Amino acid sequence: MGAIPTQRESTTRAPGTPAHQGTDRRAVAHVSLPGGPLAPGAARRFARAGLDEWAGLALPGAEALTDRFVDDVLIVVSELVTNAVVHAGTDVELLCRLEPAEPPDEESAHVVVEVSDHHPARAVRDDGAGPYSTERPHGTEPSYGTPEYGRGLRLVSALCDAWGITYRTGVKTVWARLPVDGAAAVEERTEAYVTDDAFGHGSIAVDVLAPAPRRTMESDREWLNRGALSFLAEASDLLAGQLDEDLVAALAGQLLVPRLADWCAVWLEDEGMGWRGAEADFGSGPRLARVWHVSENRIEDLRHALEKDPPRLPESVRSRAVPVAWPGEALGDQDETGTALAYRLIAGGRPLGTLVIGRAGLLRFADEVTGLVEDLSRRVALAIGAARQYARQATISRVLQRGLLPGAVAEIPGMHSALVYEPRDKGGPSGDFYDLFPAGDGRWCFALGDVQGKGPEAAVVIGLARPWLRLLAREGYQVADVLDRLNQLLLDDATEAADAAARALVTAGGPGLGADEGPQTRFLSLLYGELVPYEGGVQCTLASAGHPLPLVLGPDGDVRTAAEPQTLLGVIEDTAYISETFALHPGDTLLCVTDGVTERRCGTVMFDDGEGLAVALSGCTGLNAQLIADRITRLVHEFGERPPEDDLALLVLQAE
């Protein structure tokens, strides 16, 4: 979601707010955003682009859009979108509108921000206790897909002269109206968490992680009153993109030290152990994942001290700051005294670890600092939870992948074989699969297939197709009969079972079928064949169902197509597939590929345009099976500047 979405006009008016009768249609920006962890950042970028566009067009009222006011608008946009993502989890509609001053009263120009979601049954929380809660329906799994929590609608109220909530059928809208000339008036009401130029203009990771000078309590308050909210927003975007929990812990240290603390440490809980309270035996408890100090030469001593005496927080403590012992011996005489605070890291109701910060020479942290670190700790916890969720899914995917592919490729008498299999997603099951196995009675069978879609749904279809291929082949069914029966399998009730199993494998909010989607047919392209070695060659019978056609390379460099195109499996019922039989003489090579090879792109040109694959194969004359596989793979990779965007598989069979 890195690119700014395209603006489009909308006549929608924020419910309950007045609209200028002559509002320029160009003064309305409207976008739909997926309700995921990157939505707040994308919304900020979109809103800034809209405000800049209004100023560039010199629309009425745009002349008063100062940098400070733009920052206030971005804060409101961020808060309302974050609120919608946390509580609804649906797609979010963002609308921004510039309303010029209205004569005869000459009321100030306004910017209206309207954020809508599609979960109207869930009310907006403004409990006065700080960040929004993570309420979820009873019985559902917690989601770690939302890396931001808002500071509450109190901040929105401070920045706006009016705001409200409107419910319509299937839609809940939270709207806010900011007076263009009211930025100075509301400044006194915003005690903390407002922005400054250093953070308000799309800071990148280098800006957020840049070293900051050591601060006093006075300078803490000064910085917090100017830059903390945008720091949180940018830190959220940075943390949301991490898929490794140890890297999240490292980033937390860099975000906090030295900006808000002299040192920090992050403990991570073992998922299988759960939270360990004050009486826990820490010998087998949380591991100290990261220690960070302003002076690198003190990190190891501090680590040893913290490992000996980790923080022990009672279970009654949620994410609030808790004073813990100061590790004075590890920090030396200069920092003999100081203050340390511990925060439990909790996401989705699950304890994930502990964050500890320390500052030398302080009797206590400023309340503004403890509140800011508490907000940041929630974001760190959500990022750790998301990383763990990704790791669990990747583990499941790897297990699926190992189960869906053969442990070894069979050796065929009188033939050499070579296989290349490169899934685009290295951590999960792809849509491509292969098999090469003995079928009995001197027969060997091979298959190269490609399922529509990716991930668990594709894995379920492969899990159905591959065992059926083996079973039917070993029962003596001919090539065409195998495809007929597999086609019927994909069209019957087994598809419903596949969809149900796929939904069970996909976590809430992840890829796959939505909860309200019905069974869907899964298309499968397949090249399936049977090999029968005989003295002086190999008899090959094969059929292609919607798959790239196989090629045969002769010893003289001649290349020919070895099958006729037929319909994909799982599309048309009662289709009768046909097969073709031919001989592979000594030196003949059969090349089978998936569309990751033939449709490899370089701009608008594909690898197989102009019989590109046949030309590449003809250049492999005289090479053995493995060298042919390596050469074709290299040519495919070199064809485009970017890495392949699809799974890639090829099988080379060469008669001796």
Side-chain angles (χ1 to χ4, degrees), residues 614-632:
V615 172
L617 182 60
S618 66
C620 298
T621 305
L623 301 181
N624 62 33
Q626 188 60 58
L627 291 177
I628 292 175
D630 293 341
R631 179 180 175 85
I632 297 297

Side-chain angles (χ1 to χ4, degrees), residues 436-473:
L436 181 59
F437 58 92
D441 299 327
R443 299 176 300 121
W444 277 260
C445 293
F446 64 93
L448 199 61
D450 186 359
V451 179
Q452 175 205 26
K454 307 293 181 186
E457 290 176 286
V460 171
V461 177
I462 295 172
L464 287 171
R466 185 169 159 264
W468 271 97
L469 284 174
R470 289 197 168 205
L471 176 63
L472 293 171

Side-chain angles (χ1 to χ4, degrees), residues 121-139:
R122 187 173 299 177
V124 175
R125 289 281 299 249
D126 184 27
D127 55 14
Y132 304 122
S133 68
T134 54
E135 291 185 321
R136 55 188 174 87
H138 177 70

Side-chain angles (χ1 to χ4, degrees), residues 289-300:
R290 185 69 180 183
V291 177
W292 199 268
H293 196 286
V294 288
S295 300
E296 291 188 11
N297 57 0
R298 295 186 180 180
I299 290 178
E300 287 305 313

Side-chain angles (χ1 to χ4, degrees), residues 73 78 92 159 166 175 271 286 288 292 323-324 352 358 370 382 412 416 452 463 523 538 542 554 597 634:
V73 173
S78 185
V92 176
L159 293 173
T166 301
W175 57 267
E271 281 194 281
L288 185 55
W292 199 268
V324 293
L352 304 178
T370 60
L382 286 164
I412 305 173
H416 296 291
Q452 175 205 26
F523 303 148
V538 177
L542 55 74
V597 173
R634 177 175 58 82

Side-chain angles (χ1 to χ4, degrees), residues 9-233:
E9 296 178 354
S10 172
T11 58
T12 304
R13 179 170 62 87
T17 64
H20 189 273
Q21 295 298 321
T23 299
D24 193 327
R25 292 176 63 86
R26 296 175 298 171
V28 179
H30 180 205
V31 70
S32 178
L33 300 169
L38 302 183
R44 289 191 293 270
R45 292 190 295 273
F46 173 77
R48 175 172 291 280
L51 293 166
D52 290 344
E53 181 178 323
W54 296 341
L57 294 172
L59 298 179
E63 68 279 357
L65 299 180
T66 64
D67 287 345
R68 180 57 183 272
F69 178 76
V70 170
D71 289 337
D72 289 346
V73 173
L74 298 184
I75 291 171
V76 172
V77 167
S78 185
E79 290 302 308
L80 296 187
V81 172
T82 297
N83 180 79
V85 170
V86 168
H87 291 287
T90 67
D91 288 351
V92 176
E93 300 286 336
L94 169 64
L95 180 144
C96 298
R97 183 176 65 252
L98 174 63
E99 296 181 349
E102 295 190 17
D105 299 332
E106 292 299 328
E107 184 185 36
S108 168
H110 288 78
V111 168
V112 174
V113 176
E114 178 181 341
V115 175
S116 302
D117 63 63
H118 303 282
H119 199 316
R122 187 173 299 177
V124 175
R125 289 281 299 249
D126 184 27
D127 55 14
Y132 304 122
S133 68
T134 54
E135 291 185 321
R136 55 188 174 87
H138 177 70
T140 61
E141 286 296 317
S143 172
Y144 300 115
T146 306
E148 292 197 36
Y149 283 80
R151 282 296 295 173
L153 292 176
R154 291 174 298 169
L155 178 61
V156 174
S157 178
L159 293 173
C160 304
D161 64 0
W163 70 275
I165 305 169
T166 301
Y167 292 90
R168 299 188 298 276
T169 303
V171 178
K172 179 179 87 267
T173 299
V174 183
W175 57 267
R177 192 176 71 156
L178 293 83
V180 172
D181 63 355
V186 300
E187 183 173 0
E188 296 180 358
R189 289 183 282 157
T190 56
E191 298 176 350
Y193 301 101
V194 295
T195 65
D196 69 347
D197 291 341
F199 291 101
H201 297 281
S203 301
I204 58 175
V206 173
D207 300 318
V208 181
L209 298 177
R214 184 167 178 165
R215 301 183 183 277
T216 63
M217 289 186 67
E218 291 74 16
S219 62
D220 279 341
R221 289 192 176 93
E222 180 182 357
W223 179 77
L224 287 165
N225 286 334
R226 297 187 307 124
L229 183 62
S230 285
F231 163 72
L232 280 176

Side-chain angles (χ1 to χ4, degrees), residues 473-495:
R474 288 167 177 167
E475 288 293 323
Y477 285 93
Q478 301 299 311
V479 169
D481 295 332
V482 170
L483 295 188
D484 288 341
R485 283 158 176 76
L486 186 56
N487 180 60
Q488 190 59 43
L489 173 69
L490 294 173
L491 287 166
D492 67 12
D493 294 341
T495 301

